[in-house]
Amino acid sequence: MLRTALAGLRAHLMRLLLTSVAIVLGVGFITGTFVLNDTMEAGVAERVTADAGKVDVVVLPKTGVLPEEVLDRVRALPGVTEAQGLVRGGAPVLGKDGKTAGDFPTTAVSVVSGRLDRTNVVTGAGPGEDDRAAVLDENTAKAQGFRVGDTITVLDHEQNPHDFRLVGLIDTGVDQELGFTGAVGFTTDTARRMTGVKGYAEIDVAGADARAVAAAVGGAYTVKTGAELADDLARAAGVENQMITLGLLMFGLVAMFVAALVISNTFTILVAQRTREMALLRCIGATRGQVFGSVLLESAAVGLLASVAGLIAGYGLASLAITVLAALDSPLPTDAQAALTPPTVVAGLAVGLVVTVGSAVLPARSATRVPPVAALRDHAGEPAFRVGLVRCGIAALFLVAGLGTTAAGVFVLEPGQQVSLVVVMAGGVLTFLAVLVLGPVLVRPLSAFVGWVPRRMFGVPGRLAVDNAARNPKRAATTTVALTIGVTLMTLISVVTASTRLSLTVKLDEQFPIDYLLAGQSRDAVVPRSVAEELRGRPELDSVAQIRQVTARVSGERLSVGTFEGPVEPYVVAGSMAGFGPGEAALSELTAKALGVRVGDSVAIETRRAGTASLRVTALLDGNQSTLPPVTVAQGPFDAYFGAVPDARVMVNVRDGVPLERARAMVDAAAAPYPDVRVSSSTEIRGQFDETLDMVLMIITGLLGLAILISLFGIANTLSLSVHERTRESALLRALGLTRSQLRRMLSVEALVLGLIGALVGVVLGVVFGWAAMRAMLDGAVMSVPVARIVLFVALAGVAGVLAAVLPARRAARASIVGSLTPT
């Protein structure tokens, strides 16, 4: 039986080729993900360990900063060869346009010299002992167009500008805060002077024992060894990588699931085609167990060889990804290389073998049921498909459970919570299982619906193609389900992306109903009142509103207290702001709840100039929509309480008909004299959201394309085996007058119908569960269905099916009529 199984492999080598390709793609995707993740983790860990290896002990504050006296006590310890305090604080860098760079103030850090220098300078050099030199992180330098040798301007803690010579560019590495805000590095003295910080964020020590340092500094501070610091940094850096890996593996598992369907379908068809061969084996003495074992042996051999090829393909995929990332200046180690680790090899081979052998179990079991008398038949024929009460019962159970679970996630649980989205996803899985069970039942009515036009357009070949598509519902359903998975996921992602974009646009219109906003990087009031006064006099502008705010103690709590000037929509939910004036206050709902007050109650505000003022609450505001501060008072009393503070925000609306470019130039000119006043617009914010969503859609679509690719191989596989199975039938049609071109057309239309069936089911599932996912993720979500994109998906599915049929149709048309009709 072993020799017979091996001979069967050689005889059916071409038939098993597409199955092998499906396994290669699935295993290669998962292997490539593991390899890429292992390489990234190894590179990051190496960099972090190298940095931490310079430090024997590190002292960190539990709160606040480390005072100078702690550094003095550490330096006085016996054995300490070096101890350095690291300074960290805000110091905004000005771009070449004179505006502060980035959305948040740049973080200033101290760069030390010697053994404890942990700054990764990638271009140029560090500041050394030069107080007029500075280094900048690569991302900020690239975004602002700075190069080594340029002069950069940095604002100190009092907003005074200082010029420095840029001597080097640094890589912030795994420090997420510096990667987010950007970093500018100085000598320690300069960093303290620029930030105004009176202590250290960290003290690095060389040549000391952690216990001795802990005893010297006391229990008010945290003391760690260099190894512990390395573990913490690696753990902090690994969180994002693990999430990315989890997401990639999810798509890899989807690809393997589709591959499993294709593999199972392939072995089912192969066993059906070899009915006489199995019967002859039974006639000459082979037992059912031997037949079962021979089929599993074939699957194991194919799975092993294809999995090895998948490992090689995955390694190449990871190497290519690292090369591309390096070319795009992504944050990877300079010496990063792809590496196949033993766990990756074992996992890849195990997945490939388990999926392949597991997919062949049911076909192998069917092979044992072939009676020996089947060897006497010329053609075994296709078994008739029966719906069956068991199939309908199982499908109904899955369908009710799936729809009920989805409804609970949408209508019962609170939107915006992770649990609601997980419940909806679980409902989607159960519903998809119901569709999977009902697939053979749905094929015939769907093929009649989808094939209505091809049946009339393509004449006799079209009618034959539609009938052939529904002839074997189980096989057709398995093939179409493979394509359905990919179309479902792409439709779902498209619906979620389009709905998210529309929902965010609506919310921006509600929460940001202005054309331009002038504000600083931080929450401090930095916009001079003269800016709004200048803009208010321009006829091109429809309205200019000012928001001022300070931090004050209100009924014992430190809150933001402010006022407004100009047209501002307050969004009152209780009470009234009519005649709003002295002695009155308006609170957001959350603030009122926190203070335990309602309309008509009083709150006490500690002011700078008027002492404690008692104000009556006259209105409660919707904090999610209103642009007013949590505690709002009238303009006159605010100035009397806190003085003429600058504006925190200035909101500008352009008059209808005025070109936005002209209005933007006007607003920019008003803010130009003030470097820390930034101008943003709702259009720019929407553009940032659109770019992010488009990027996500592009990445996910590329990953899902793998599932589509595997499903296309499934269609090609099914058609190839079906063409071989119907060799005599095709020859008979040719003998009755069907031309070669008509035969090719018949098979192409059959593939078109199968592709459209899978796409149609996928679109319905994707739209329904895209809507459910949006309702679960976002409260008040606005539904948007990208019809053009979905129609494109359906069209691509049909075209892909036709392309998959090219080679099988060509092979069938070239077959000899006489040779095909000759009994074997």
Side-chain angles (χ1 to χ4, degrees), residues 19 28 36 70 138 263 294 323 336 367 524 530 569 583 605 630 784 798:
T19 301
L36 187 59
V70 175
E138 287 182 298
I263 296 166
S294 67
T323 302
D524 297 333
S530 58
E569 178 60 57
I605 299 181
S784 176

Side-chain angles (χ1 to χ4, degrees), residues 517-601:
L517 173 68
L518 286 76
Q521 282 184 327
S522 62
R523 297 181 179 180
D524 297 333
V526 295
V527 186
R529 294 190 180 190
S530 58
V531 174
E533 293 172 359
E534 177 184 347
L535 292 174
R536 189 172 281 114
R538 302 303 296 259
E540 296 88 350
L541 303 181
D542 184 58
S543 65
V544 177
Q546 299 161 260
I547 303 293
R548 302 174 191 132
Q549 61 188 45
V550 297
T551 300
R553 193 169 293 277
V554 181
S555 297
E557 299 291 336
R558 291 187 61 82
L559 298 172
S560 180
V561 180
T563 188
F564 64 95
E565 180 179 355
V568 174
E569 178 60 57
Y571 292 94
V572 177
V573 296
S576 174
M577 292 189 69
F580 192 62
E584 297 178 339
L587 275 61
S588 68
E589 285 184 293
L590 292 178
T591 302
K593 183 178 180 180
L595 297 178
V597 298
R598 62 184 66 181
V599 174
D601 293 343

